[in-house]
Amino acid sequence: LYDADISFIRSIEIHSLSLDGDINNPSMCKHDQLRVFFMLFEASSEEKNFLKSLEREQNSFERLIAHKKSMPLPVNTIGMTSTQEMQQASRGIAGSYAGGTLPLSVDTRTGRGKGRKDKERRDIAVDVREFRSALPSILHQGGMRLAPVTLTVGDFVLSSVHCVERKSISDLFGSFASGRLYTQAEAMSKHYKCPCLLIEFDPGKSFSLLNSNELGGEIRGDSICSKMALLTMHFPKLRLLWSRGPHETLKIFKALKQNHDEVDVDKAIEIGSNESLDALLGSNEEIDGEENEINEAARDMLLRLPGININNARKIMNVCDSIAELADMPRDQLRALLGPATGQKLFTFFRQKFAAS
């Protein structure tokens, strides 16, 4: 060969190896093997280009090997041995996790002669605020039945034990900065056996939180990896789900729902909401039953006013004895009690005039 083209040389090598291992040519001997000779001028630019091509090829393979070592394994291959894979293929694997309270796979006591009821579990309770993202539509296209509700705890409830809080990369950094993620993880860990934090990446971007040169060996308050480590230390039950995109999230949700009952939507709505109301009431044991019933009705009405949440509702209950007294408060007093924005919103709501129909 006069032209030292590395791609053509590799093609010749593959062809030579295929001939060497061909069973249809048993008479192929060592001296019959294909040999390639090519001519180069020593210390020429042509030789330098060829050596550079060899170096780039070697570096590419080394980077590929290093990337494969650090690449995360799929969910269905983590901790699996060859024996377990064979058992799972034949639907005979069993086990548990979370202290033996949650089943890992199907029941093996069902006889082979009896028919199995492999009913696909499809119901998911979805918080209505998540419909601003593309994930609910992809879940619907994937065959899931979505129940749009207002959830106090979590963004997706898959079963009676699985509650998922979904975070994009920008949401994850913002939630750590505001401290909101700690509160959300605490609520999920309190009400569900298997709370999950879903970290969903953008399919068009790199599947990593940080670049490799930004990783350090020390725990720093401004490092996202340090914050993730501290979060898992505070909440050992919290499971981290890493997803490359919405379509991968669909596969993860289907795998999590396989061996668990369908979600109770009414119970998912109720979880967390009653606790907030009870915390608002406090522990006033001296109130009799009739007065407690009246306070409960007034409290429910108070929480439905615009701009009112659990924190500022407690301030209002300490100052006002009734909704009527709150409605008669002047603008300046409302703004001093609730803040400029919330006070103005509540003052406008009480003074709003409705046209008679």
Side-chain angles (χ1 to χ4, degrees), residues 103-305:
L104 181 63
S105 187
V106 296
D107 189 2
T108 58
R109 294 175 292 180
T110 304
R112 291 185 177 271
K114 298 182 179 180
R116 292 174 48 87
K117 296 182 180 179
D118 291 332
K119 182 181 178 182
E120 186 179 5
R121 290 156 175 83
R122 300 162 49 193
D123 293 342
I124 297 179
V126 185
D127 189 77
V128 291
R129 289 159 290 195
E130 287 299 315
F131 281 87
R132 291 175 290 186
S133 65
L135 180 58
S137 61
I138 293 176
L139 293 175
H140 178 69
Q141 293 173 4
M144 294 295 182
R145 288 193 298 256
L146 306 182
V149 294
T150 302
L151 297 176
T152 307
V153 179
D155 295 328
F156 299 88
V157 179
L158 309 182
S159 65
S160 59
V161 296
H162 290 103
C163 180
V164 179
E165 182 70 31
R166 173 186 168 273
K167 296 292 182 185
S168 62
I169 299 302
S170 58
D171 291 339
L172 182 67
F173 280 83
S175 298
F176 271 123
S178 64
R180 188 172 71 252
L181 184 58
Y182 182 91
T183 306
Q184 293 169 339
E186 184 179 22
M188 289 194 299
S189 300
K190 182 176 182 180
H191 295 286
Y192 292 93
K193 290 183 179 179
C194 190
C196 302
L197 174 62
L198 171 66
I199 302 175
E200 192 173 83
F201 288 79
D202 188 350
K205 296 183 180 179
S206 175
F207 187 56
S208 60
L209 289 176
L210 294 173
N211 295 327
S212 57
N213 54 359
E214 297 178 354
L215 295 175
E218 299 180 356
I219 295 180
R220 304 194 314 271
D222 58 343
S223 173
I224 186 66
C225 293
S226 300
K227 294 177 180 179
M228 293 287 292
L230 293 174
L231 182 69
T232 53
M233 288 172 60
H234 280 90
F235 304 102
K237 292 200 306 181
L238 186 66
R239 299 291 183 264
L240 301 182
L241 306 177
W242 304 86
S243 174
R244 290 182 178 272
H247 293 281
E248 189 67 26
T249 302
L250 172 62
K251 298 179 183 178
I252 295 174
F253 281 6
K254 285 185 175 180
L256 289 175
K257 287 182 63 65
Q258 279 182 359
N259 305 309
H260 298 280
D261 297 332
E262 290 286 12
V263 58
D264 188 346
V265 179
D266 296 333
K267 185 178 179 182
I269 298 173
E270 186 180 352
I271 286 178
S273 60
N274 289 341
E275 177 184 333
S276 302
L277 298 177
D278 293 339
L280 182 60
L281 269 178
S283 57
N284 299 326
E285 299 178 356
E286 66 275 4
I287 306 176
D288 59 315
E290 183 180 357
E291 187 178 355
N292 188 32
E293 185 177 350
I294 297 174
N295 284 338
E296 186 175 353
R299 176 203 61 192
D300 294 340
M301 182 182 297
L302 177 63
L303 288 174
R304 285 167 173 78
L305 295 178

Side-chain angles (χ1 to χ4, degrees), residues 322-341:
S322 64
I323 299 292
E325 184 180 349
L326 177 65
D328 293 335
M329 290 180 68
R331 185 201 310 263
D332 296 337
Q333 193 172 353
L334 280 175
R335 296 182 69 173
L337 179 63
L338 303 174

Side-chain angles (χ1 to χ4, degrees), residues 38-51:
F38 55 93
M39 294 189 297
L40 288 174
F41 287 102
E42 188 177 359
S44 63
S45 60
E46 189 178 13
E47 181 186 12
K48 285 186 177 181
N49 291 335
F50 179 69
L51 294 178

